[in-house]
């Protein structure tokens, strides 16, 4: 028999064990309790409603990834939810392919706090698994609450990084009761009130749910999808994505599918916020929310990613995003700091920003950078086409930057923002890459000519999403249909986190007889021709049919002498207009496409360039889609247009004396007064995406008059 441990030694061991237990208790219980019992800070000042905002970098490079390190060199794949924890760290729900909760320490170091590969598992740190996490909240003990959208669950992360499932089974459904048995369907929004109740935007159940402090789950408001105010189950929502709880108990709801801002009063009544008077701002597709101590609300929108400020008395204003230089790609997460500044998570821009007050001393400081990096790698499509055979040739019938009209007769309504590929009506539209759905409104415009789907950063338009030409569901596990009274599909919905593989059918071509490919989020779109396609060749040079000039009043200069257009040197300058078009190999002869870059050059009569025009000024460049709404009127002259919008023939009348290039959209002029009187040549220069230089009537002889 082993000798007994002396009583004194046993007492010492018990004392060590007790001290260890107390230390552990202090780690897990005392620190949160200490934070909770700490005397409250003095109340903040009333929220200002007249300040000018500037966006400054917080973290991320604008390139995708899940790279830790210093905040400005770290990478985020899809930063969605953002909160500040009790220790001063910023926590980020990084969805997309990251599936992690990231931590930005007060010193700016980014680390992974919890999660790694996609899955559903509790555990500590990297041992835990998430699936497309969305919103975050902080409870009264300093723990994080996570809307784990792809797992249909609500998770809780203790301050030591231990992840536990707060509610949900991991299976999509709708069930009340005990948290361990309750079911959700793609929840995206979470918020916590003062007593610890967790509010959940149960996005694809179109309900607002509550997890009570005793662990019971119930529905606070909402029933079937719709748009109805009322009490409790009488109310209707459509794809609610975010929540914020005000100090008076009001629960604000970003009702994204209804393009509306809703509020649930403490008595459970749902009301729609209505803007007051002439200063109203359109709250289009709200996506994120934050509320101040005095009830002032901040709203982030889906696309373009603006931030709005809403006062309790109904006033609204654009805080960021009034100019294109402040357009985030997707304003998915907001956090209001105590000093009145804000944190913004730009999910599709792969960045986090601070929104701070612009003072008189920093008026010259620019915002940004904002959105995904312009030089980011495009999706690797392996040169696939959107139709079968994906490795065979298909006809390209429209390119980025072409002028487009509308059905009201305006020939210069907007610029074409994608690549059109022709196909017969009913042809299956196929995925180009392996990717997941990230937007809560991935399918849109059901039944319309512009119906489409967005998977990751690729969008396809002019199709019947999720259904065949006969209206049959292509895949009920991915496409959730709603039906009208006659049993016909009336809506298709796709949960955030749904995956598609390259070659999977996304839908079928509608009556437009082509699909329209867009690369990147609105305001940050690239030319899809850069994806590359099997068998695509372009050896045909663009054609210039003529060059003309407009005076400073916009009237044509037509007077000639010795075959030269007479140009007065006085006045406000001259606009250069170039009539040009392009073709590609294999297209029908009647098919006219737009050019990729257009410019002009001024030469002396002997062909040598004048000062300032040693190289052509390539002022119109459609490598990227210009975001400015006036870009079409700047790039094209009147009488431009295409046949489907009423023009007699396809005609691209470019104005290369103006500038439409990247983020710059500006009217400009060629100033003949800078040259002495005499004979010159205005030469138009055009290049297609393959680098072929335009041929044809590219030179306009001119004579500058002495007066």
């Amino acid at each position: 028999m082993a000798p007994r441990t002396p009583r004194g030694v046993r007492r010492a061991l018990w004392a060590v064990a007790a001290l260890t237990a107390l230390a552990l208790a202090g780690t897990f219980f005392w620190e949160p309790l200490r934070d909770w019992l700490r005397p409250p800070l003095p109340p903040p000042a009333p929220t200002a409603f007249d300040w000018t905002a500037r966006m400054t970098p917080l973290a991320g490079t604008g390139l995708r990834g899940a790279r830790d390190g210093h905040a400005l060199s770290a990478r985020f794949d899809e930063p969605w939810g953002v909160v500040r924890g009790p220790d001063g760290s910023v926590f980020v729900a990084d969805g997309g392919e990251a599936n992690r909760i990231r931590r930005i320490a007060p010193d700016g170091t980014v680390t992974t706090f919890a999660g790694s590969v996609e899955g559903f598992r509790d555990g500590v740190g990297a041992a835990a698994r998430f699936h497309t996490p969305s919103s975050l909240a902080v409870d009264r003990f300093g723990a994080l609450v996570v809307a784990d959208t792809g797992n249909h669950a609500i998770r809780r992360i203790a301050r030591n990084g231990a992840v536990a499932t707060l509610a949900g089974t991991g299976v999509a459904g709708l069930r009340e009761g005990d948290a361990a048995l309750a079911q959700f369907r793609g929840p995206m929004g979470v918020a916590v009130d003062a007593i610890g109740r967790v509010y959940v935007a149960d996005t694809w159940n179109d309900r607002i749910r509550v997890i009570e402090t005793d662990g019971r789950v119930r529905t606070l408001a909402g029933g079937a999808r719709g748009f109805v105010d009322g009490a409790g189950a009488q109310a209707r929502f459509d794809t609610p994505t975010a929540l914020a709880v005000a100090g008076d108990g009001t629960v604000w709801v970003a009702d994204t599918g209804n393009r509306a801002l809703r509020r649930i009063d403490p008595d459970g009544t749902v009301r729609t916020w209505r803007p007051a008077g002439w200063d109203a701002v359109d709250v289009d597709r709200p996506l994120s929310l934050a509320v101040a101590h005095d009830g002032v609300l901040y709203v982030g929108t889906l696309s373009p990613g603006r931030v709005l400020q809403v006062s309790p008395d109904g006033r609204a204003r654009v805080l960021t995003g009034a100019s294109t230089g402040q357009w985030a790609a997707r304003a998915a997460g907001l956090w209001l700091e105590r000093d009145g500044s804000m944190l913004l998570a730009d999910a599709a821009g792969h960045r986090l920003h601070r929104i701070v007050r612009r003072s008189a001393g920093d008026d010259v400081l620019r915002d940004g950078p904002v959105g995904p990096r312009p030089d980011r790698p495009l999706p690797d499509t392996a040169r696939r086409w959107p139709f079968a055979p994906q490795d065979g040739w298909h006809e390209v019938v429209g390119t980025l930057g072409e002028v487009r009209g509308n059905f009201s007769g305006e020939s210069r309504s907007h610029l074409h923002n994608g690549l059109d590929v022709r196909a017969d009506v009913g042809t299956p539209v196929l995925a180009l890459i392996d990717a997941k759905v990230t937007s809560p409104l991935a399918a849109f415009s059901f039944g319309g000519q512009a119906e489409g789907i967005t998977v990751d950063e690729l969008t396809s338009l002019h199709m019947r999403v999720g259904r065949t030409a006969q209206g049959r569901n292509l895949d009920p596990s991915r496409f959730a249909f709603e039906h009208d009274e006659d049993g016909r599909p009336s809506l298709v919905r796709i949960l955030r986190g749904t995956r598609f593989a390259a070659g999977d059918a996304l839908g079928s071509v509608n009556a437009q007889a082509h699909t329209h490919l867009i690369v990147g989020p609105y305001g940050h779109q690239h030319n899809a021709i850069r994806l590359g396609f099997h068998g695509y060749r372009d050896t045909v040079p663009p054609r210039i049919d003529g060059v003309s000039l407009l005076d400073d009043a916009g009237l044509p200069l037509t007077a000639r002498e010795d075959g030269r257009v007479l140009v007065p040197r006085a006045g406000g300058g001259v606009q250069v207009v170039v009539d040009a078009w392009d073709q590609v190999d294999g297209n029908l002869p009647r098919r006219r496409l737009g050019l990729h870059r257009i410019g002009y050059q001024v030469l002396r009569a002997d062909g040598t360039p004048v000062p300032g025009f040693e190289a052509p000024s390539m002022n119109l460049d459609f490598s990227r889609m210009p975001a400015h709404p006036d870009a079409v009127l700047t790039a094209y002259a009147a009488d431009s247009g295409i046949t489907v919008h009423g023009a007699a023939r396809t005609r691209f009348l470019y104005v290369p004396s103006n500038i439409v290039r990247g983020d710059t959209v500006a009217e400009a002029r060629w100033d003949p007064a800078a040259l002495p009187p005499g004979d010159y040549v205005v030469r138009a220069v055009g290049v297609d995406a393959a680098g072929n230089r335009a041929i044809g009537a590219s030179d306009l002889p001119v004579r500058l008059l002495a007066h």
Side-chain angles (χ1 to χ4, degrees), residues 106-128:
D107 67 359
T109 302
V110 177
T111 57
T112 296
F113 187 58
S116 53
V117 298
E118 186 174 289
F120 187 26
R121 182 194 298 169
D122 290 343
V124 178

Side-chain angles (χ1 to χ4, degrees), residues 45 48 99 122 206 388 479 558 588 689:
N99 299 297
D122 290 343
D206 301 301
F479 304 103
T558 58
L588 295 173

Side-chain angles (χ1 to χ4, degrees), residues 329-386:
R330 186 173 295 160
L334 288 175
W335 175 263
L336 182 60
E337 299 278 59
R338 191 170 173 79
D339 64 0
S341 64
M342 304 193 71
L343 307 181
L344 167 65
D346 183 2
H350 323 299
R351 300 181 193 267
L352 293 108
H353 302 274
R354 291 186 180 92
I355 301 175
V356 299
R357 182 185 295 269
R358 186 184 294 275
S359 62
D362 63 8
D363 283 346
V364 297
L365 297 179
R366 298 184 61 186
D367 296 290
V370 177
R373 261 179 51 174
D375 61 345
R376 66 191 184 277
L378 298 188
D380 183 4
T381 64
R383 304 179 65 205
R384 300 181 185 93
W385 292 87

